């Protein structure tokens, strides 16, 4: 007979054993999240970084001197459980979704993304994936998940367990997500998704404020989806932690975001993905021009927000077959006026700050989790090096991607 407790203990010991051996890695350069080390070693022990700096004499590190090390990347907006081939059966749908989503998780790791904030999933498939990954039973990035996103009862997304109308229902749904094990709350504060590019505000200011306060009261952050400026204005005023997508932000809202340090996660590249794949997604050809026009408005808003001093986090809004393209967003950030280093910060130190994990992720520092990405080229000179030339990825001390040979 298998004792489930004993089984758990044995797994834990095995995982510990995998990490127990100390190892050292020699890189041509290391960007640790703040500064560059030339010809440096990173030593790792028990899944954590022990030291970063000049290689010690007598050490025999693994030779990765052809590569440049950067911290494991953070994608602050994914939908890891969205697949083009959705499960057909209603019963057991969550389990089927988790099965189908394994490839999305693997492709995400291959881009150097070792941590995601997953904003919206059905059947709590996101919570199942997070726990499988954390227990070493599935390959994938570390997941911070929201469960169901809150939505009003209009058609489209309404009708499911995320539906809420009025302050009382909003409180109930926020608390239900936290009760189910969500790490973060997601609220759809406006219309707009896929080829629907409208941005009508859905929740009222009072409902948004109730969600923000209920999330914060339980120690959770809240991300608010808005395609247009109206909901963004109310969400910022209500104290939301991040504004997702938003185009056309007015000057006062941008100034308020800079003042309050509200994060902007513009997700510019996801509409590029929809335009590029309109056939696969069954969108009519005329959707392409509309999507590309939205991309340009999104880029312009990002440019304004960046120059006003708003904090950014990189979010791909990856769905369906977009996994593996998670970091293309960084290219838009450089177009919006960031240096490659500033763009990298949105996917490392700043992303970690948005997730509330800046004390253990987003940088290569002693005591931090050993999430390390090796790229070929200088990522601070050309952001494309990060987007296209990831060669090796370590997550929590384990090498999860190796394309060095
Ligand atoms: Zn999204």
């Amino acid at each position: 007979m298998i004792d489930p407790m004993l089984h758990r203990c044995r797994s834990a010991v095995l995982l510990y054993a995998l990490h127990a051996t100390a190892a050292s890695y020699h890189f041509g350069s290391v960007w640790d999240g703040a500064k560059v080390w030339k010809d440096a070693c990173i030593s790792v022990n028990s899944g954590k970084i022990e030291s970063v700096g000049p290689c010690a004499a007598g050490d025999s590190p693994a030779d990765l001197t052809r590569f440049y090390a950067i911290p494991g990347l953070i994608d602050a907006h994914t939908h890891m459980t969205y697949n083009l081939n959705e499960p057909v059966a209603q019963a057991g749908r969550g389990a089927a979704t988790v099965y189908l989503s394994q490839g999305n998780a693997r492709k995400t790791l291959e881009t150097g993304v070792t941590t995601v904030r997953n904003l919206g999933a059905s059947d709590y498939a996101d919570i199942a994936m997070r726990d499988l990954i954390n227990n070493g039973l599935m390959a994938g990035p570390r997941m911070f998940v929201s469960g169901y996103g809150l939505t009003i009862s209009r058609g489209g997304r309404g009708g499911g367990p995320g539906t809420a109308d009025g302050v009382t229902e909003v409180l109930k749904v926020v608390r239900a997500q936290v009760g189910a094990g969500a790490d973060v709350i997601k609220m759809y504060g406006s219309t707009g998704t896929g080829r629907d590019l409208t941005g009508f505000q859905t929740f009222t200011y009072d409902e948004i404020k109730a969600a923000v306060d209920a999330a914060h009261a339980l120690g959770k952050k809240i991300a608010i989806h808005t395609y247009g400026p109206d909901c963004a204005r109310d969400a910022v005023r209500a104290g939301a932690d991040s504004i997702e997508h938003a185009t056309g932000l007015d000057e006062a809202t941008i100034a308020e975001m800079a003042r309050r340090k509200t994060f902007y996660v513009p997700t510019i590249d996801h509409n590029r993905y929809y335009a590029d794949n309109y056939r696969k997604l069954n969108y009519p050809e005329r959707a392409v021009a509309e999507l590309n026009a939205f991309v340009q408005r999104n880029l312009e808003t990002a440019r304004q927000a960046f120059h006003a001093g708003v904090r950014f986090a990189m979010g791909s809004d990856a769905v369906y077959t977009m996994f593996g393209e998670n970091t293309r967003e960084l290219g838009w950030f450089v177009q919006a006026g960031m240096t490659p280093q500033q763009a990298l910060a949105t996917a490392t130190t700043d992303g970690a700050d948005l997730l509330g994990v800046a004390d253990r992720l987003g940088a290569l520092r002693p005591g931090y989790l050993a999430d390390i990405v090796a790229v070929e080229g200088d990522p601070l000179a050309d952001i494309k090096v990060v987007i296209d030339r990831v060669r090796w990825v370590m997550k929590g001390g384990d090498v999860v991607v190796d394309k060095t040979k």
Side-chain angles (χ1 to χ4, degrees), residues 267-393:
T267 71
I268 302 165
D269 194 54
H270 85 288
N271 284 310
R272 186 280 313 161
Y273 164 78
Y274 290 146
D276 282 359
N277 294 278
Y278 77 97
R279 280 205 181 86
K280 211 184 275 178
L281 300 170
N282 286 322
Y283 294 173
E285 202 173 340
R286 69 174 184 283
V288 174
E290 293 164 16
L291 288 159
N292 285 328
F294 192 93
V295 165
Q296 290 308 314
R297 291 200 296 280
N298 215 171
L299 176 61
E300 187 47 37
T301 305
R303 194 173 280 135
Q304 289 167 11
F306 175 66
H307 289 295
V310 172
R311 287 203 298 181
F312 281 62
M314 181 199 78
S316 62
D317 204 4
V319 295
Y320 311 139
T321 56
M322 193 183 164
F323 298 93
E325 300 177 9
N326 304 60
T327 55
R328 287 179 66 152
E329 184 73 1
L330 296 174
W332 294 107
F333 285 1
V334 169
Q335 279 198 52
M338 293 186 198
T339 63
Q341 179 163 336
Q342 287 168 329
L344 256 184
T346 69
T348 53
T349 47
D350 291 338
D353 218 7
L354 171 57
L355 270 63
V357 293
D359 59 343
R360 53 191 184 276
L361 286 170
L364 301 173
R365 279 187 210 133
Y368 276 50
L369 291 167
D371 283 18
I372 309 170
V373 176
V375 295
E376 197 167 7
D378 182 353
L380 304 186
D382 183 1
I383 200 66
K384 285 201 193 83
V385 166
V386 180
I387 300 170
D388 299 325
R389 294 204 214 141
V390 169
R391 300 290 185 251
W392 182 92
V393 181

Side-chain angles (χ1 to χ4, degrees), residues 115-135:
T115 302
V116 302
R117 187 179 63 149
N118 200 72
L119 295 179
S122 297
D123 307 303
Y124 296 119
D126 54 346
I127 288 175
M129 277 184 85
R130 175 197 67 192
D131 293 349
L132 286 166
I133 290 169
N134 285 347
N135 287 314

Side-chain angles (χ1 to χ4, degrees), residues 77-79 82 119-120 186 188 225 244-245 267 270 317-319:
H77 192 136
T78 61
H79 295 276
Y82 286 23
L119 295 179
K186 164 76 176 284
Y188 291 97
H225 161 117
E244 314 294 312
H245 320 300
T267 71
H270 85 288
D317 204 4
V319 295

Side-chain angles (χ1 to χ4, degrees), residues 163-207:
T163 306
D165 289 315
V167 165
T168 309
E169 287 183 20
V170 163
L171 295 177
K172 203 168 181 176
V173 175
V174 168
R175 290 166 182 166
Q177 303 322 301
V178 177
D183 305 295
V184 57
I185 296 298
K186 164 76 176 284
M187 182 177 225
Y188 291 97
S190 89
T191 58
T193 184
R195 70 162 299 233
D196 169 9
L197 297 169
T198 61
F200 300 111
Q201 183 165 350
T202 50
F203 285 106
T204 65
Y205 173 77
D206 288 342
E207 289 168 323

Side-chain angles (χ1 to χ4, degrees), residues 205 235-240 255-263 311:
Y205 173 77
V236 171
R237 193 157 63 94
E256 189 65 4
M257 287 175 78
R259 193 182 71 78
R260 288 174 175 261
K261 302 195 185 324
T262 312
F263 273 98
R311 287 203 298 181

Side-chain angles (χ1 to χ4, degrees), residues 209-234:
K209 179 83 174 119
V212 169
D213 291 347
H216 289 171
L218 293 169
K220 306 297 178 192
K221 298 197 182 197
I222 179 165
I224 302 198
H225 161 117
T226 173
Y227 267 43
D230 297 336
C231 168
R233 192 180 306 117
D234 278 354

